[in-house]
Amino acid sequence: MPAPAAVRRTIALPLIVALLAGCVQERVTESRLLVPPPNATGGPGERSDGFMRVALEPLGALSNDAFTLPLVSTDGRFVAVQEESNADWPTLTADLGQAKRVRGRISFHEVAAGALLLRGEIQGPYLLGRSADSQGFLVESPGEDGGRRIGRVAWESGEIQWLTDDAAVNAFAVLGPRGEVAWSRRERSSGSFELVIERPEGRVVFAPTPDHSWVLPRFDGAGNLFVWRLHDGTLSLGFLPMRPGREEDADSLRPALRLQPITLRGSIERAFVSMAPTDGISVSAPPEQILFFHPDLSRMTIWDANGDELQYLADQSVGGLVMAAGSGERALASTTTRLLEQPLPAAPADVATRVLDGLWLPRSAPDGEGRIVIVNPQRGRLMMARLLIQSSSSSSSSSSSSSSSSTSSSSSSRS
């Protein structure tokens, strides 16, 4: 397993600050924000194929720990931010060496017209979790006895409801569309994680073995589950189809498990980095697909669990969002220099249209009005905004332009 310091160097990349309208200079700041490193090869190679109108509504800046990406409620009304944390890599990955005295401060805010209104904060041994819904957001709390609890913080009241309260290490929890919860669990003396799935139909547990662990699960929009399996140094994505209304157990689900090997240089740290760019984003479309950062190819990647083929977003992409459009599926792809829109299925010669300059990471699926919460990470603070891509039509353009405002803008790019 890579040393924590080595992993930190891997993801401590310089972040490109969003270009101001009319500016030609880029300001670069250093951050340890959890964004995967760009590939060292050439640029994204996008070209203009369309015209779009973009409405960008700035929401303001929030301080953060320069590492953790924020969580947004599924209805787009609230944002939670890890403002302070002393967590190291063993703590983030719930390793045997996790800290016993964790200190953290998490604030949560209501998204209003052009602003973020502070609703409350919690201080103590709290780490911002990986998931949120319209009722609240998840936190994890490592204990001094070596255990770890999972809780849900209510957006409205700040009250914490503990979802686990045993002596084990419970970590990496996510929420599902029907109120499901899935997480990884291990005994305090063990290094192997089991998978726990709590559904309205009952609990399912996939036990570990001495040479493999189940870590960092994620639900799709239909309630199916993706999960990483770490087995003898190989990191594979697993898919478990979950049928609503049907009671399941490990024996009934195991024959349906689909595995897709991703890398032979597997570790929990690499799985953690692979999921971080899209953690907390509710899936809008389609089911049975997962978007993740490929640890070997260094770009955002889509796996459709119905086959073995992978689709790739723009070269050097470090974040993204798959969404439905009138003419089919499209994706937003974040690079360290721009936010792009590209059609799916992805192909080497796909057209990608520039939406915004700078590093802007989607943090929510479109809300009822089609708006997406995006974040521009800087040193110790997050610039937050809401983005609405109002229309997109195919038209040839030979010019390159961009502008953004709280009302509308248009942009295109050619390489």
Side-chain angles (χ1 to χ4, degrees), residues 105-147:
R105 180 163 64 93
I106 298 171
S107 63
F108 45 102
H109 309 256
E110 184 174 359
V111 180
L116 294 166
L117 307 178
L118 179 65
R119 294 301 300 264
E121 66 175 36
I122 57 173
Q123 297 188 57
Y126 303 126
L127 304 176
L128 187 63
R130 303 177 54 233
S131 192
D133 60 15
S134 61
Q135 302 302 310
F137 60 93
L138 296 184
V139 294
E140 297 183 12
S141 181
E144 295 186 12
D145 61 356

Side-chain angles (χ1 to χ4, degrees), residues 40 69 100 105 107 130 183 253 265 276 309 356 378:
L69 290 170
K100 292 182 171 59
R105 180 163 64 93
S107 63
R130 303 177 54 233
W183 70 95
L253 283 173
R265 297 180 293 137
E309 293 186 2
L356 293 173
Q378 301 179 16

Side-chain angles (χ1 to χ4, degrees), residues 39-46 299 314-316 335 337 340 415:
N39 198 333
T41 58
E46 67 278 354
R299 68 196 301 176
D315 190 23
Q316 303 186 44
T335 74
T337 58
L340 306 168
S415 64

Side-chain angles (χ1 to χ4, degrees), residues 7-277:
V7 178
R8 281 190 182 278
R9 287 194 297 272
T10 299
I11 59 174
L13 76 160
L15 299 180
I16 307 299
V17 179
L19 299 179
L20 298 175
C23 257
V24 296
Q25 279 191 320
E26 294 179 343
R27 290 192 295 123
V28 180
T29 63
E30 292 184 355
S31 171
R32 63 187 188 100
L33 186 98
L34 193 58
V35 177
N39 198 333
T41 58
E46 67 278 354
R47 62 188 177 86
S48 175
D49 185 60
F51 175 82
M52 66 173 62
R53 297 190 62 81
V54 173
L56 183 66
E57 178 189 6
L59 297 173
L62 297 174
S63 62
N64 87 317
D65 66 348
F67 192 81
T68 309
L69 290 170
L71 292 177
V72 179
S73 63
T74 48
D75 55 12
R77 294 181 54 222
F78 299 98
V79 175
V81 177
Q82 183 91 53
E83 294 204 25
E84 296 176 2
S85 174
N86 68 339
D88 55 10
W89 266 106
T91 305
L92 292 171
T93 57
D95 188 72
L96 287 167
Q98 71 174 358
K100 292 182 171 59
R101 293 184 180 273
V102 173
R103 299 186 306 277
R105 180 163 64 93
I106 298 171
S107 63
F108 45 102
H109 309 256
E110 184 174 359
V111 180
L116 294 166
L117 307 178
L118 179 65
R119 294 301 300 264
E121 66 175 36
I122 57 173
Q123 297 188 57
Y126 303 126
L127 304 176
L128 187 63
R130 303 177 54 233
S131 192
D133 60 15
S134 61
Q135 302 302 310
F137 60 93
L138 296 184
V139 294
E140 297 183 12
S141 181
E144 295 186 12
D145 61 356
R148 186 169 176 135
R149 297 190 294 175
I150 296 166
R152 185 204 302 253
V153 181
W155 294 115
E156 298 286 355
S157 66
E159 181 180 352
I160 302 178
Q161 173 193 6
W162 293 109
L163 306 181
T164 65
D165 199 10
D166 55 24
V169 177
N170 300 278
F172 315 134
V174 287
L175 301 171
R178 299 188 303 125
E180 306 97 327
V181 187
W183 70 95
S184 302
R185 180 185 183 276
R186 66 171 175 84
E187 298 301 324
R188 285 180 288 177
S189 60
S190 172
S192 297
F193 285 95
E194 66 184 7
L195 171 66
V196 184
I197 311 166
E198 197 74 67
R199 308 170 66 224
E201 296 81 4
R203 174 176 288 196
V204 180
V205 178
F206 270 73
T209 67
D211 64 347
H212 82 251
S213 281
W214 303 97
V215 296
L216 295 146
R218 179 186 295 164
F219 288 100
D220 70 8
N224 303 305
L225 190 73
F226 289 88
V227 63
W228 289 95
R229 189 186 75 165
L230 181 60
H231 175 73
D232 196 24
T234 299
L235 197 58
S236 301
L237 266 173
F239 174 79
L240 288 167
M242 311 292 287
R243 298 181 182 138
R246 175 173 172 175
E247 293 186 11
E248 303 278 11
D249 57 27
D251 290 337
S252 65
L253 283 173
R254 191 169 285 109
L257 174 66
R258 307 169 202 170
L259 287 171
Q260 175 68 33
I262 299 298
T263 178
L264 297 177
R265 297 180 293 137
S267 68
I268 295 182
E269 285 93 342
R270 298 195 91 197
F272 193 99
V273 170
S274 294
M275 297 296 263

